[in-house]
Amino acid sequence: MSGSAVAPRGGRTRTACDLCRHRRIGCDRAKPACETCSIARVPCTFTPLAQQQKSVREQLAESRARVRQLEEALRAERENRLGRTPPQETTSFLETPRQQPNAWPAANSLLESHSLDAALSAFRWHLAFCGPCAAPFTSTPSFYSTVYDRTGFVLNIDDFLNQLAYSFKLQYPAHPTKGIVPKWPSKSLIQRSVEYYENNRLYSIFPVVDFETTPIHLDPKVLNHPENPTNPASYACLVALTAMITRIRGHEAAFVDADPDAYVQAVLTLLPELVMDNTNLMSLETLVWLTLYIAPLGQPQLAGMILAMAVRILYNMGGNRHRLSHETLEQSRRSQHVRALFWLCYTIDKEMAFRECKTPLINDADCDLDIPVTYVSISSDSSFFPRPLSSQELLFPSDLRLAIIKSKIHRLLYSDDGIAQSEARRIQYIRELDEELSDFMSNFPVICQPEGVLNRTVPDFMLHDLSLRGVNIHLEYYHCLAKIHGASNAGGTSSPESWPQLPSSVELCYESARSTLLYISRVRHLVGPETFWIYAQFILSSVISLFWHLITTVPHAPTFEADLQIIEEIADMFTRMNGVDQEGSCFPPFYITEAFIQRLVFLARQSLYKSVSQ
């Protein structure tokens, strides 16, 4: 070894090398280097415990330099093993907190959206909640046995995805695999993003930052760097806003060179500091920006964790309650902004819980659910079509009234109390919720009525004018319909021989699946890498529901070929989108989804052949 275990005069023998001692792990003291140093490919050294010749300041400086060297070597080795590009600059955690933010665990870091591993993880997660009758796969074990009985083939999701991953690597050996290196945006980019947010009145859709309410955001000192000790939350909020703007408008010349994922990764390193002050408005705004950014990336676990932090701050600030009017104008404006943040968190929370079949973070009983007076009318064209945004009108990414309906669906039908209700009471709830959802839908503008969209009386060029919000409302409507009537069988699978007391509910579940897929095929121009995970569960749950209908009704269903053609069209849509880019790669989620749907098409065909041959 470059150094041995030396017993200093009057001291004791060192039992661990410098690296093992720093990492607080056992050292095997092997020669010429211990196992830890061998893996890190660094010299294995033992520094005496007592250093009589040097001052404490000198010892500390040397220790910092040595630890920094060892950390860089370990980081480089780890990145090399993972096939990633190591960061260009590294900083020791021994430096002051303002110079290096508290590290956030790697498991909670942002995943590269074009990574195959990230795509497989997200796909598995979404698939777990896409079982027939709006129930997760985990609660429908009969699904797999029925597939085998009706088709003669085993559908093993894990084996299928593992084989798919192997095929992908063979087909796209040059597919890039990289980590996301934290990076702070330039001051000029932050300023351009803030100007874009303000000039285009994006507060109407994303009411996260009200610069009139919190002018400290625009303090020139804040824009420099998070080293500024006055308010790191304000800087983090501006960086998160910059990431959001540059992601959704990255094709514009002003933002073309931006790296939004890197900016979000940088903000994630500040999370421990942000949550320390649980009544800080700017911390709340930052967390909301992060949730809005991460949720559509197919990483719901991380988004849900950050949303939980935001909801905690929101409750501490009293945002769940509508304040009385005994306030100054400035206080009233701030209260309205906090309430807008509440409704934004409310809609995200209800949608995420709705998709996961879990209890929401926000309990309606603890909240005042009065809709903001400036909220858009449901019959307004601006709910569905792009219009110049107004600072006097709140839109939000989705409809607040639909979020309230989702909350009722969970509480009355899918919560523990709802499931425990008698069958008669559950049927009553299903009918009442169906009527409420129908009333909500009946207020859509005439050209946005679902019937007109599906029977093609509404021309394609009108659908091309739909906003992302308008598409989301339609798809969420179909999803709610499936959830309501899927509860008629208590979340389990059913077949024509075992339909519940509401056979119309079973048909409505499959009709909502057909409608969703037909709708997706008509708005496929809005399905891309940036929006895929927003629509993934709608698509997957509808494909599986319609597939289930096919294999359990053959040969009784006269619509078998038409229904199968709908699924095939969705598979073909992903085949067309799954193009190879100039680097010889593709978007992994498209590749996985296409292969999975094609597999279901094959199994559906086999069920027909088997039924005919018997």
Side-chain angles (χ1 to χ4, degrees):
M1 285 180 284
S2 58
S4 58
V6 179
R9 182 177 302 175
R12 64 183 186 277
T13 303
R14 285 285 304 275
T15 59
C17 69
D18 294 339
L19 180 57
C20 292
R21 180 171 176 269
H22 167 65
R23 297 183 65 189
R24 297 182 180 181
I25 61 176
C27 179
D28 59 17
R29 302 185 63 194
K31 297 181 180 182
C34 71
E35 181 181 10
T36 302
C37 291
S38 296
I39 294 175
R41 297 180 183 177
V42 297
C44 187
T45 60
F46 284 77
T47 302
L49 290 173
Q51 296 186 0
Q52 303 292 338
Q53 305 301 320
K54 298 180 180 179
S55 67
V56 174
R57 184 183 299 275
E58 290 173 330
Q59 294 176 38
L60 181 59
E62 289 186 0
S63 296
R64 284 179 174 174
R66 176 63 180 153
V67 169
R68 186 180 299 111
Q69 177 187 4
L70 296 175
E71 285 181 336
E72 291 174 355
L74 281 172
R75 184 179 294 108
E77 175 65 20
R78 182 169 58 251
E79 297 291 351
N80 287 337
R81 291 201 305 271
L82 296 175
R84 298 174 180 172
T85 302
Q88 297 300 313
E89 298 180 3
T90 56
T91 308
S92 169
F93 74 94
L94 288 178
E95 298 193 21
T96 61
R98 292 299 174 192
Q99 291 172 307
Q100 172 66 20
N102 295 325
W104 194 248
N108 295 325
S109 298
L110 194 67
L111 298 177
E112 208 278 318
S113 58
H114 284 69
S115 162
L116 174 63
D117 291 339
L120 286 169
S121 176
F123 192 86
R124 282 189 171 96
W125 187 93
H126 282 81
L127 202 60
F129 302 103
C130 294
C133 298
F137 269 119
T138 53
S139 65
T140 57
S142 62
F143 180 81
Y144 299 101
S145 60
T146 303
V147 169
Y148 178 74
D149 291 340
R150 299 300 176 96
T151 69
F153 287 81
V154 174
L155 178 61
N156 187 306
I157 300 298
D158 288 335
D159 288 348
F160 173 78
L161 293 180
N162 289 337
Q163 294 171 8
L164 200 61
Y166 180 74
S167 299
F168 181 91
K169 293 173 182 178
L170 290 178
Q171 188 172 353
Y172 301 103
H175 184 75
T177 301
K178 64 178 182 178
I180 300 176
V181 180
K183 182 170 64 177
W184 302 107
S186 66
K187 181 178 178 180
S188 61
L189 181 60
I190 294 176
Q191 291 174 326
R192 291 198 302 273
S193 300
V194 170
E195 290 171 1
Y196 187 93
Y197 178 81
E198 288 190 295
N199 294 340
N200 290 276
R201 298 180 177 85
L202 290 183
Y203 185 89
S204 177
I205 299 177
F206 303 115
V208 183
V209 183
D210 185 348
F211 289 105
E212 293 184 14
T213 301
T214 52
I216 190 175
H217 278 305
L218 300 179
D219 186 338
K221 296 179 181 179
V222 171
L223 295 175
N224 292 327
H225 200 270
E227 291 179 4
N228 172 37
T230 57
N231 201 326
S234 181
Y235 182 78
C237 183
L238 292 177
V239 173
L241 180 152
T242 300
M244 190 72 179
I245 297 300
T246 55
R247 182 171 182 83
I248 62 179
R249 308 307 299 175
H251 59 280
E252 296 187 9
F255 309 120
V256 70
D257 294 326
D259 191 353
D261 283 354
Y263 307 151
V264 168
Q265 190 71 69
V267 176
L268 287 174
T269 66
L270 290 173
L271 272 182
E273 293 190 19
L274 297 177
V275 298
M276 289 297 291
D277 185 356
N278 57 14
T279 58
N280 189 322
L281 176 60
M282 286 168 284
S283 292
L284 171 61
E285 293 169 344
T286 304
L287 295 173
V288 174
W289 275 130
L290 289 175
T291 304
L292 286 169
Y293 187 97
I294 295 172
L297 297 182
Q299 300 180 47
Q301 300 96 322
L302 178 56
M305 180 185 68
I306 295 174
L307 179 62
M309 299 177 189
V311 169
R312 182 180 181 86
I313 297 177
L314 195 61
Y315 271 62
N316 289 337
M317 296 181 63
N320 55 314
R321 297 294 185 186
H322 182 72
R323 299 195 178 190
L324 300 176
S325 58
H326 307 298
E327 298 178 322
T328 65
L329 180 62
E330 181 179 349
Q331 291 173 331
S332 177
R333 180 70 180 265
R334 181 182 175 91
S335 296
Q336 292 175 13
H337 174 55
V338 173
R339 283 292 289 174
L341 283 167
F342 163 78
W343 277 110
L344 186 55
C345 290
Y346 183 93
T347 56
I348 299 172
D349 177 44
K350 299 306 179 182
E351 178 61 21
M352 293 177 68
F354 203 58
R355 295 185 182 211
E356 297 180 43
C357 303
K358 73 174 186 180
T359 302
L361 296 168
I362 298 176
N363 187 341
D364 288 5
D366 299 329
C367 307
D368 294 328
L369 298 181
D370 49 315
I371 301 292
V373 294
T374 57
Y375 186 57
V376 65
S377 167
I378 193 172
S379 58
S380 170
D381 284 351
S382 58
S383 287
F384 294 88
F385 299 98
R387 295 287 186 271
L389 300 176
S390 169
S391 58
Q392 306 302 316
E393 183 180 63
L394 286 175
L395 284 171
F396 296 95
S398 185
D399 199 286
L400 303 186
R401 290 155 294 216
L402 197 54
I404 295 176
I405 294 176
K406 294 173 191 173
S407 183
K408 291 181 180 178
I409 293 172
H410 171 80
R411 176 169 52 85
L412 297 177
L413 299 178
Y414 288 92
S415 67
D416 291 341
D417 289 340
I419 293 174
Q421 296 293 324
S422 66
E423 186 174 8
R425 179 58 60 87
R426 286 175 59 81
I427 291 175
Q428 176 187 346
Y429 288 153
I430 289 171
R431 287 171 173 162
E432 291 174 353
L433 289 167
D434 179 83
E435 183 177 354
E436 185 172 356
L437 186 64
S438 296
D439 290 342
F440 169 81
M441 179 269 295
S442 65
N443 290 313
F444 289 3
V446 174
I447 59 175
C448 292
Q449 289 293 323
E451 292 83 359
V453 172
L454 298 177
N455 63 22
R456 295 187 177 271
T457 57
V458 176
D460 285 346
F461 73 85
M462 293 297 296
L463 296 183
H464 281 258
D465 291 337
L466 280 171
S467 65
L468 193 63
R469 185 180 193 273
V471 171
N472 290 345
I473 292 175
H474 274 119
L475 293 175
E476 289 171 24
Y477 163 76
Y478 296 133
H479 197 206
C480 285
L481 188 65
K483 282 279 193 177
I484 290 172
H485 291 281
S488 67
N489 195 40
T493 58
S494 64
S495 63
E497 294 80 13
S498 60
W499 280 358
Q501 292 189 23
L502 284 180
S504 59
S505 281
V506 175
E507 184 56 36
L508 283 171
C509 282
Y510 300 129
E511 192 58 42
S512 69
R514 295 184 187 100
S515 300
T516 297
L517 298 180
L518 288 171
Y519 190 85
I520 286 289
S521 67
R522 296 198 68 191
V523 296
R524 56 186 176 272
H525 58 284
L526 290 177
V527 181
E530 304 299 327
T531 60
F532 171 75
W533 292 114
I534 298 176
Y535 304 130
Q537 191 160 345
F538 299 140
I539 296 171
L540 292 174
S541 59
S542 298
V543 166
I544 292 171
S545 183
L546 198 52
F547 164 75
W548 178 258
H549 181 60
L550 291 174
I551 68 171
T552 55
T553 57
V554 171
H556 309 290
T559 60
F560 179 91
E561 287 295 339
D563 289 341
L564 187 59
Q565 184 179 357
I566 293 175
I567 300 178
E568 289 176 328
E569 287 178 358
I570 297 298
D572 291 342
M573 181 183 79
F574 283 102
T575 301
R576 292 191 295 271
M577 292 192 300
N578 189 29
V580 178
D581 59 25
Q582 295 179 352
E583 298 178 355
S585 186
C586 70
F587 186 54
F590 288 172
Y591 180 91
I592 297 169
T593 304
E594 175 198 355
F596 178 74
I597 297 177
Q598 292 287 15
R599 181 64 179 174
L600 295 187
V601 170
F602 167 79
L603 291 173
R605 288 287 183 196
Q606 291 302 127
S607 70
L608 176 62
Y609 300 151
K610 187 175 180 181
S611 66
V612 172
S613 62
Q614 288 178 346

